[in-house]
């Protein structure tokens, strides 16, 4: 059987997580219209009759301004080292800079199996670059072709993961990420990338689960925005997170959300928040 690791790389917002989720068939990584949504490398496993593709969804490639950025870029480098095949995604609707072209050239020099994928082919074409395939996750275009292209390049071997596994991430991680995703949706441009979400306590009983989850913000004034009028935002997020978690645990889940301010955490306390 053909098996291996496939790193999914590209600029922030290129559509990496959307593609991985679609091919895995589960929400393993949160997706948002904002840049730098993904922070950790997330494995998403796609099983076929004669193949197992282990996607590594990565943070978008960007210049580091703080410790969290450096953590994210380290994840990208690790993914390149681990990968058997690299997918480099380019948003068809965006101009490709010379810097990005040089980066792709560098990747091709470094790794043998690089597939350049034009994404969002449903959009008006702007990107001018040589690619191997053009796809649209939104319109489900050429995804089977992409799978075939990947499988062709994978080594032969034993399956790496059991067939019923679809990610390496814990339910705890997925629930925290779900909350961060909901915050990105609700808050839109009001608060940039300063949010972290961590589970401080998880107590699993026979028929129920209790979770204490902490939302970390960078500024005191962000608290009111996150909590919302009369606590509405927090309440909505709590309901959404509970439904999401109950589905994963297959048990009743109680989620207790707490909000805390930690200024400049992205430069100081990244390890404390799981990065
Ligand atoms: N029109 C169109 N939009 C898409 C397509 N695929 C993804 N998107 C949108 O592109 C935006 C970014 O998608 P993500 O999957 O979060 O992008 P990403 O590359 O993982 O971003 P980072 O994690 O920030 O690096 C979201 O608004 C998606 O809905 C597509 O095929 N067509
Ligand atoms: Mg992403």
């Amino acid at each position: 059987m053909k098996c291996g690791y496939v790193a999914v790389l590209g600029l922030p917002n290129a559509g990496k997580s959307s593609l991985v989720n679609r091919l895995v068939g589960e929400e393993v990584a949160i997706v948002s219209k904002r840049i730098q949504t993904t922070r950790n490398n997330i494995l998403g496993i796609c099983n076929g009759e004669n193949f197992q593709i282990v996607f590594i969804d990565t943070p978008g490639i960007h210049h580091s301004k703080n410790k969290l950025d450096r953590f994210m870029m380290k994840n990208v480098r690790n993914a390149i080292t681990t990968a058997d095949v690299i997918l480099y995604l380019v948003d068809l609707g965006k101009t490709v800079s010379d810097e990005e072209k040089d980066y792709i050239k560098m990747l091709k020099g470094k790794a043998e199996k690089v597939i350049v994928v034009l994404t969002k082919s449903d959009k008006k074409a702007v990107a001018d670059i040589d690619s191997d395939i053009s796809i649209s996750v939104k319109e489900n275009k050429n995804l089977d072709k992409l799978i075939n292209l990947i499988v062709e390049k994978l080594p032969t071997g034993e399956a790496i993961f059991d067939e019923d596994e679809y990610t390496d991430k814990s339910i705890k991680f997925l629930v925290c990420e779900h909350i961060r995703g909901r915050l990105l949706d609700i808050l839109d441009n009001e608060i940039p990338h300063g949010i972290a979400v961590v589970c401080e306590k998880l107590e699993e009983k026979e028929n129920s689960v209790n979770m204490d989850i902490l939302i970390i913000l960078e500024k005191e004034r962000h608290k009111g925005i996150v909590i919302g009028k009369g606590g509405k935002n927090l309440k909505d997020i709590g309901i959404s997170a509970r439904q999401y978690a109950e589905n994963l645990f297959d048990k009743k889940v109680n989620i207790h959300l707490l909000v805390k301010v930690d200024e400049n955490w992205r430069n100081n306390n990244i390890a404390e928040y799981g990065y």
Side-chain angles (χ1 to χ4, degrees), residues 8-21 29-39 57-62 72 89 91 119-123 135-141 193:
V8 184
L9 308 187
L11 296 188
N13 208 253
K16 301 176 292 296
S17 301
S18 304
L19 175 66
V20 171
N21 287 344
I30 54 171
V31 164
S32 91
K33 61 180 185 225
R34 312 172 82 192
I35 58 164
Q36 293 173 28
T37 298
T38 307
R39 291 175 175 168
D57 185 21
T58 66
I61 295 161
H62 63 287
M72 286 157 74
L89 268 55
D91 183 335
T119 59
K120 311 192 189 179
S121 69
D122 52 279
K123 287 183 24 183
I135 63 160
S136 167
V137 171
K138 192 178 169 192
E139 295 185 341
N140 239 332
K141 283 234 175 81
H193 306 287

Side-chain angles (χ1 to χ4, degrees), residues 170-179 197-205 208-215 237-258:
S170 62
I171 298 182
K172 198 158 108 173
F173 176 90
L174 295 173
V175 174
C176 289
E177 284 289 90
H178 176 84
I179 292 171
V197 180
V198 285
C199 178
E200 291 218 300
K201 198 179 92 187
L202 188 148
E203 194 183 26
E204 192 165 356
K205 297 180 183 164
S208 66
V209 180
N210 293 320
M211 297 177 89
D212 286 355
I213 294 180
L214 193 57
I215 298 171
I237 289 168
I239 293 170
S240 168
R242 177 169 51 76
Q243 287 167 347
Y244 179 80
E246 285 183 343
N247 203 16
L248 293 178
F249 281 110
D250 205 13
K251 281 181 193 178
K252 191 173 153 30
V253 179
N254 302 303
I255 293 181
H256 184 217
L257 289 175
L258 295 146

